[in-house]
Amino acid sequence: MNKLTHFDASGQAHMVNVGDKPNTHRIAIATGKITMLPETFKMVGAGTHKKGDVLGIARIAGIQASKRTSDLIPLCHPLALTHVSLEFQTNSPESSITCRVRAETTGPTGVEMEALTAVQVALLTIYDMCKAVDRGMVMGDVRLLEKSGGKSGEWKQS
């Protein structure tokens, strides 16, 4: 097992030095899901929510959040993202919406945190926009699906 890199030899938190790491094309894909009442799900899908296009606004919120990850997660490096995309998949039998994010950069450190942050904020935005009609929505199953680039190479969740 690798050691935790955000701690120095004396156990103090620090920002990892990536100055000597080569720039490589890096990709991370993350996902998460929100489950809601069937009535809420129908409202989101039909676009009849009084606040407007819930998924369109959640998409923009997720992209915006990916760009602000280093402001939210204390030891994350600010990254120059080259691409971020969010897709939503609806599941009518479950009354759920799955968010999938792909984040990319060319740099010395990965984009896993940016992809995961985008998923979380997109799901939170759906919750925020729908909470007036459904406070019992459940967000979960947030995880990294795959990443590529850098010293550790490719990784896929099995």
Side-chain angles (χ1 to χ4, degrees), residues 26-30 101-104 111-112 115 144 146-148:
R26 296 165 183 268
I27 300 169
I29 300 172
V101 174
R102 178 184 175 107
E104 297 185 40
V111 290
E112 296 92 340
L144 183 68
E146 61 185 84
K147 59 85 58 191
S148 65

Side-chain angles (χ1 to χ4, degrees), residues 4-151:
L4 298 175
T5 58
H6 286 95
F7 296 96
D8 64 18
S10 63
Q12 300 296 310
H14 73 107
M15 188 178 221
V16 175
N17 183 349
V18 297
D20 292 334
K21 293 173 72 177
N23 287 342
T24 62
H25 182 223
R26 296 165 183 268
I27 300 169
I29 300 172
T31 189
K33 178 168 71 171
I34 186 167
T35 304
M36 58 197 66
L37 294 172
E39 300 79 31
T40 310
F41 179 81
K42 288 176 190 166
M43 186 183 301
V44 172
T48 58
H49 194 290
K50 69 179 181 177
K51 291 186 178 181
D53 178 8
V54 173
L55 298 183
I57 294 167
R59 179 177 289 107
I60 296 299
I63 292 169
Q64 183 176 351
S66 71
K67 298 188 301 183
R68 301 295 302 247
T69 299
S70 66
D71 293 335
L72 301 169
I73 310 298
L75 301 178
C76 279
H77 293 85
L79 298 183
L81 295 169
T82 57
H83 178 76
V84 177
S85 63
L86 275 81
E87 299 173 3
F88 294 104
Q89 182 178 21
T90 58
N91 182 324
S92 188
E94 284 186 5
S95 297
S96 68
I97 301 168
T98 299
C99 176
R100 181 180 167 107
V101 174
R102 178 184 175 107
E104 297 185 40
T105 191
T106 301
T109 190
V111 290
E112 296 92 340
M113 294 306 298
E114 288 71 14
L116 288 163
T117 299
V119 167
Q120 295 278 24
V121 170
L123 296 177
L124 284 167
T125 300
I126 294 169
Y127 185 94
D128 180 53
M129 293 187 71
C130 297
K131 70 181 184 272
V133 296
D134 186 358
R135 294 197 187 274
M137 291 174 280
V138 176
M139 292 166 278
D141 203 20
V142 176
R143 65 194 189 282
L144 183 68
L145 293 176
E146 61 185 84
K147 59 85 58 191
S148 65
K151 185 172 95 176

